[in-house]
Amino acid sequence: MTMMTGAQIFVESLLRENVEYLFGIPGGVVIPVFDALFDSPLKVILTRHEQGATHAADGYARATGKVGVCLVTSGPGACNTVTGLATANMDSIPIVVFTGQVPTPMIGNDAFQESDIVGITRPITKHNFLVRNARDLARIIKEAFYIASTGRPGPVLVDLPKDVAVTETEYVPVSEVTIRGYKPVLDGHVKQIKKAAELINASKKAVIYAGGGVILAGAAKELVQLAHKTRLPVTTSLLGLGGFPADDKLFLGMPGMHGTRFANYALSECDLIVAVGTRFDDRVTGNIKEFAVHAKIIHIDVDPTAISKNVRVDVPIVGDAANILAKLIPLVTRTDNGNWLKQIEDWKAQYPLTYKDSDKEIKPQYVVEQIYEATKGEAIITTEVGQNQMWAAHYYKFKSPRSFLSSGGLGTMGYGLPAAIGAQLGRPDKVVFDIAGDGSIQMNIQELATAVHNRLPINVAILNNHFLGMVRQWQELFHNRRYSSTCLLNNPDFVKIAEAYGAKGMRIRKKKDVRPAIEEAIKTPLPVILDFEVAREENVYPMVPVGAGIHQMIGGLA
Amino acid sequence: MKHTISVLVENQFGVLARISGLFSGRGFNIDSLSVGETEDPTVSRITLVVKGDDMIIEQVIKQLNRLVDVIKVSDLTKDDFIDSELALIKIPCDGKTRSEIMQIVDIYRGRIVDVALRSLTVELSGSEENVRGIMDLLQEFGKLEVVRSGKIAISRDRKNTRGNNHK
């Protein structure tokens, strides 16, 4: 019989889950846990804010496909994880967040640094636990990792009272999970798959619309096989970028509010949508009444709640995308869609994704293109949220899964820098760039200290237009250029900030300096901030105004 | 349309909050909700009555199923089921009205559980319509004080709403 404290069981359980890194910050009630970690082979990455810790764990999970792990203290530490949990929840990212809690006899008494974090995070986690007894800890940790990483992945929170961490109990390792209320369906209904194949084979103008689920399920290879065999064009949502190679002839780019014209026209005119691992977000569909009015819809998703939530679906198939696509591929044939592909080629030629370049000022799109070329499209790109995110999505051609990490569902500014830290730790072989705005980089800029301390060669490219750019764009287009609270004229000197943290800073004002600066940053073995002074009032185009159908785009014409 | 939904859940703290949170987070109202332990003490059964069109109810059921602590969800409305609720009704009365009230209670198969100088308290179990019916009649005698348990329901005959074949 092995006796262990809760903290020791915690360490042992994490080692059994093959955890490499824990992101977090200590505090009063988790001192015993950090004490147990001190002698363990687990590496703790001390961030400067708990939000940074959760985003770093999220970035690690997105880049590697493993579960990201956080450990923070109770009360304020726990509350600071809320944005990171909500971000991971909206994008279905597997992370497990451990929060310290006051001792069980004090729970509910408004003890110092107490918060009901299980209550607070109930709607923004896949599941959460309060451990009330050290005997339950090994089982709960096993279940937490299992729930986070299976079915539709998502964040799980485990609240760990201090007395549980210090109590000695018998340690019984747990290797199997049985939860009677949790049995994800992975196989897909054979009849439905057959029905889907029949619809695909009979279609003349079909489109595949893939989302982040393709990447989460590891179904990118099957997606390419399906598209090539049937000759169906493919559009991927923001989170699906990298799920289908952007340099493939059948790729249409991203649909929706800032989608390409050809993707939006294709979805509007098609006779069949084969949706895989995506949830028909309102940023993709635009006005739902006008969305794909001529199309039948096949929807493959591991989460039944995603199906028929926003659009009516003709053939629902619940299950794992890789699994279902593998069963679907033998049943499909090359479709008779020559005219359709010709139509799409014409749209591509007529309405390419483009911007007006300039030699007088640096265009943000140009910066992204140069990052793409300098890294040969093989970097991991994280983004903040806003114009920087959309330009990254448009002008970096993502070739492989897990190369584009961005907060899609929640739209979390401040995500990119900590996510880059997690990604670089998980994939030390990769060049990592955070494409940022001057507004959003300031939301978690303190994590530069984390990057410097761990000597992570991440690169932050700030597309600095001295505005909260996307909101400014809306104000320009829909509020008569009344720039209410979007002007950031008192930005700090980002080069000096970088230097103050011990990173390298570069300011780039001329177009000719853009590429050399990027090359130099890639070679530098330290974190680098590249402060690009870009055109101030550049807009992201095309754009679907709110409330319009996705075929009703404005701007972006050559 | 009103739906009566039966939900089998793990009998542990926080489960009810998860269920009710699903509804409040979407701005839906729950018409009635009742909870109690089942024949298996590790399992509780929740009976929910909610209003909504087919799309809303489909989402409600899927979202309930998605919760880790939920073992099985059945929409009883689709088939035959038996339902009942309990109500305690206090009615103002005096010597003149007492016997008239007692007659009404008798017709509705209620049971007088307390008699005071200026009031009567009736216990009544039955369908929602039954409870509503007696309340409408008794209102004639003054302002009522009513406590209702919320509906409990069970499917008729052999239809299985237990959790042994998983959801």
Side-chain angles (χ1 to χ4, degrees):
Chain A
M1 190 162 87
T2 323
M3 295 298 283
M4 284 191 187
T5 65
Q8 288 166 332
I9 292 173
F10 171 88
V11 169
E12 188 57 34
S13 302
L14 262 54
L15 286 171
R16 282 170 177 267
E17 295 295 331
N18 298 317
V19 173
E20 225 181 333
Y21 295 107
L22 264 93
F23 301 90
I25 307 181
V29 297
V30 282
I31 293 171
V33 184
F34 275 85
D35 189 65
L37 285 165
F38 199 63
D39 302 317
S40 86
L42 292 163
K43 286 170 237 147
V44 178
I45 304 297
L46 173 66
T47 58
R48 294 302 180 269
H49 190 293
E50 287 86 355
Q51 188 189 346
T54 48
H55 292 327
D58 173 313
Y60 174 88
R62 290 192 210 221
T64 62
K66 299 186 219 162
V67 177
V69 186
C70 283
L71 172 60
V72 304
T73 194
S74 64
C79 288
N80 280 345
T81 67
V82 163
T83 307
L85 286 165
T87 303
N89 195 47
M90 289 288 265
D91 292 349
S92 314
I93 305 304
I95 61 173
V96 176
V97 173
F98 293 93
T99 48
Q101 183 55 278
V102 301
T104 42
M106 289 164 81
I107 291 177
N109 289 357
D110 294 336
F112 176 64
Q113 293 197 326
E114 182 191 353
S115 65
D116 172 15
I117 197 64
V118 167
I120 290 169
T121 60
R122 206 174 277 132
I124 53 163
T125 50
K126 184 172 173 186
H127 194 58
N128 59 19
F129 296 92
L130 167 62
V131 188
R132 292 202 298 183
N133 199 311
R135 282 195 312 269
D136 301 332
L137 186 57
R139 176 186 54 81
I140 286 177
I141 291 176
K142 186 80 201 165
E143 289 182 0
F145 277 81
Y146 177 71
I147 292 169
S149 59
T150 52
R152 177 180 179 167
V156 176
L157 181 134
V158 181
D159 202 20
L160 201 58
K162 184 172 182 178
D163 54 330
V164 169
V166 297
T167 302
E168 268 212 342
T169 187
E170 185 190 350
Y171 171 62
V172 186
V174 179
S175 49
E176 290 232 344
V177 177
T178 40
I179 307 168
R180 55 185 160 180
Y182 180 72
K183 305 253 185 315
V185 177
L186 300 176
D187 272 347
H189 199 284
V190 180
K191 264 195 196 152
Q192 295 292 87
I193 294 172
K194 220 177 128 205
K195 230 193 223 168
E198 282 162 12
L199 277 183
I200 292 170
N201 293 341
S203 72
K204 299 265 191 280
K205 300 199 290 184
V207 176
I208 296 173
Y209 157 44
V214 165
I215 293 164
L216 294 167
K221 194 180 81 204
E222 287 81 0
L223 183 67
V224 171
Q225 283 172 5
L226 176 71
H228 285 176
K229 189 169 178 194
T230 53
R231 291 205 305 178
L232 298 192
V234 179
T235 178
T236 68
S237 70
L238 181 77
L239 289 186
L241 290 174
F244 190 80
D247 52 4
D248 193 295
K249 260 193 81 165
L250 290 168
F251 188 56
L252 294 171
M254 185 170 73
M257 178 174 275
H258 290 298
T260 61
R261 281 186 182 258
F262 35 95
N264 282 345
Y265 289 148
L267 282 178
S268 300
E269 300 273 314
C270 68
D271 62 2
L272 176 68
I273 294 176
V274 185
V276 192
T278 190
R279 60 191 177 88
F280 293 89
D281 183 86
D282 54 273
R283 283 293 191 266
V284 165
T285 62
N287 184 341
I288 207 96
K289 289 197 187 91
E290 295 184 43
F291 180 73
V293 284
H294 314 292
K296 292 211 158 156
I297 298 177
I298 297 165
H299 192 173
I300 299 167
D301 206 294
V302 74
D303 178 6
T305 61
I307 294 175
S308 291
K309 185 173 64 182
N310 298 327
V311 296
R312 37 133 210 105
V313 169
D314 300 280
V315 183
I317 310 175
V318 177
D320 173 78
N323 199 326
I324 291 168
L325 292 183
K327 287 180 186 158
L328 182 62
I329 290 163
L331 307 178
V332 294
T333 55
R334 180 184 162 115
T335 56
D336 173 19
N337 67 349
N339 289 340
W340 177 233
L341 291 180
K342 170 82 177 49
Q343 167 76 77
I344 285 170
E345 282 311 310
D346 289 350
W347 281 330
K348 277 187 175 176
Q350 206 179 342
Y351 309 110
L353 185 66
T354 186
Y355 65 97
K356 286 195 181 70
D357 203 5
S358 160
D359 286 329
K360 292 197 192 81
E361 51 186 357
I362 302 175
K363 288 295 182 90
Q365 300 95 327
Y366 175 78
V367 175
V368 177
E369 280 177 342
Q370 290 306 307
I371 294 173
Y372 169 67
E373 283 177 20
T375 57
K376 301 182 186 69
E378 281 162 8
I380 292 179
I381 304 293
T382 73
T383 75
E384 303 295 337
V385 166
Q387 289 184 317
N388 58 82
Q389 180 185 31
M390 290 300 123
W391 285 320
H394 283 165
Y395 294 98
Y396 199 96
K397 311 272 180 263
F398 296 94
K399 291 183 203 159
S400 55
R402 307 196 177 278
S403 59
F404 177 66
L405 321 183
S406 190
S407 166
L410 197 67
T412 310
M413 289 169 71
Y415 171 79
L417 173 57
I421 290 171
Q424 187 75 81
L425 280 162
R427 293 300 307 267
D429 53 318
K430 289 277 188 182
V431 172
V432 177
F433 265 89
D434 169 27
I435 295 180
D438 50 309
S440 44
I441 192 63
Q442 294 185 63
M443 287 205 178
N444 270 321
I445 202 162
Q446 76 287 347
E447 296 310 331
L448 262 181
T450 311
V452 168
H453 177 78
N454 292 285
R455 297 191 65 82
L456 299 172
I458 59 167
N459 309 287
V460 181
I462 303 176
L463 307 175
N464 190 345
N465 55 15
H466 300 271
F467 276 117
L468 295 168
M470 190 58 98
V471 181
R472 186 211 59 76
Q473 175 171 337
W474 285 44
Q475 289 170 334
E476 176 190 329
L477 299 175
F478 312 118
H479 292 270
N480 208 17
R481 298 187 81 156
R482 287 154 54 85
Y483 293 164
S484 178
S485 302
T486 45
C487 194
L488 301 175
L489 284 178
N490 58 349
N491 271 339
D493 181 331
F494 290 114
V495 173
K496 281 190 182 157
I497 287 212
E499 286 163 359
Y501 274 111
K504 182 169 175 156
M506 287 188 258
R507 180 166 299 105
I508 301 95
R509 289 207 168 93
K510 294 204 174 83
K511 189 179 174 184
K512 69 173 175 53
D513 298 331
V514 169
R515 182 63 177 268
I518 294 167
E519 308 266 0
E520 196 185 328
I522 294 169
K523 274 186 252 154
T524 308
L526 282 175
V528 179
I529 282 196
L530 295 155
D531 182 17
F532 293 101
E533 292 275 356
V534 298
R536 293 200 62 202
E537 294 186 64
E538 186 70 13
N539 287 340
V540 179
Y541 286 129
M543 178 178 189
V544 177
V546 175
I550 56 169
H551 57 289
Q552 295 163 320
M553 289 157 280
I554 55 172
L557 292 168
Chain B
M1 180 183 166
K2 266 192 185 176
H3 285 251
T4 302
I5 296 168
S6 181
V7 191
L8 275 188
V9 299
E10 297 286 348
N11 186 8
Q12 59 193 23
F13 71 95
V15 177
L16 193 56
R18 284 182 208 281
I19 305 258
S20 58
L22 267 187
F23 292 87
S24 61
R26 285 169 176 75
F28 296 161
N29 196 16
I30 301 174
D31 278 16
S32 106
L33 182 151
S34 57
V35 199
E37 211 174 275
T38 62
E39 66 282 0
D40 174 353
T42 68
V43 175
S44 290
R45 188 185 291 278
I46 297 177
T47 309
L48 277 162
V49 181
V50 284
K51 264 196 233 80
D53 61 26
D54 288 354
M55 206 145 160
I56 288 177
I57 297 299
E58 188 185 332
Q59 266 301 310
V60 163
I61 290 171
K62 282 178 176 174
Q63 295 284 354
L64 285 169
N65 260 318
R66 195 186 189 194
L67 295 176
V68 171
D69 289 332
V70 168
I71 300 163
K72 189 175 173 89
V73 184
S74 321
D75 184 358
L76 298 175
T77 324
K78 287 192 285 191
D79 293 295
D80 246 7
F81 67 99
I82 298 140
D83 64 346
S84 184
E85 70 172 305
L86 183 70
L88 289 173
I89 306 170
K90 191 159 40 178
I91 314 129
C93 71
D94 52 32
K96 276 185 272 170
T97 55
R98 189 171 290 131
S99 61
E100 199 183 337
I101 293 170
M102 286 167 81
Q103 277 177 9
I104 294 172
V105 170
D106 202 34
I107 292 165
Y108 274 87
R109 295 200 184 87
R111 200 161 66 91
I112 310 265
V113 288
D114 186 55
V115 182
L117 210 53
R118 281 185 291 274
S119 71
L120 270 176
T121 303
V122 178
E123 179 193 279
L124 184 82
S125 67
S127 69
E128 198 187 338
E129 293 72 34
N130 209 34
V131 175
R132 176 65 57 193
I134 196 170
M135 275 168 58
D136 285 348
L137 280 177
L138 293 177
Q139 242 146 18
E140 298 287 313
F141 301 93
K143 210 165 171 355
L144 306 177
E145 194 178 329
V146 180
V147 185
R148 297 170 70 169
S149 67
K151 190 194 270 193
I152 53 168
I154 196 163
S155 62
R156 283 201 65 211
D157 201 18
R158 284 192 311 247
K159 188 178 179 279
N160 182 13
T161 55
R162 272 175 285 157
N164 44 11
N165 58 345
H166 59 255
K167 63 195 180 190

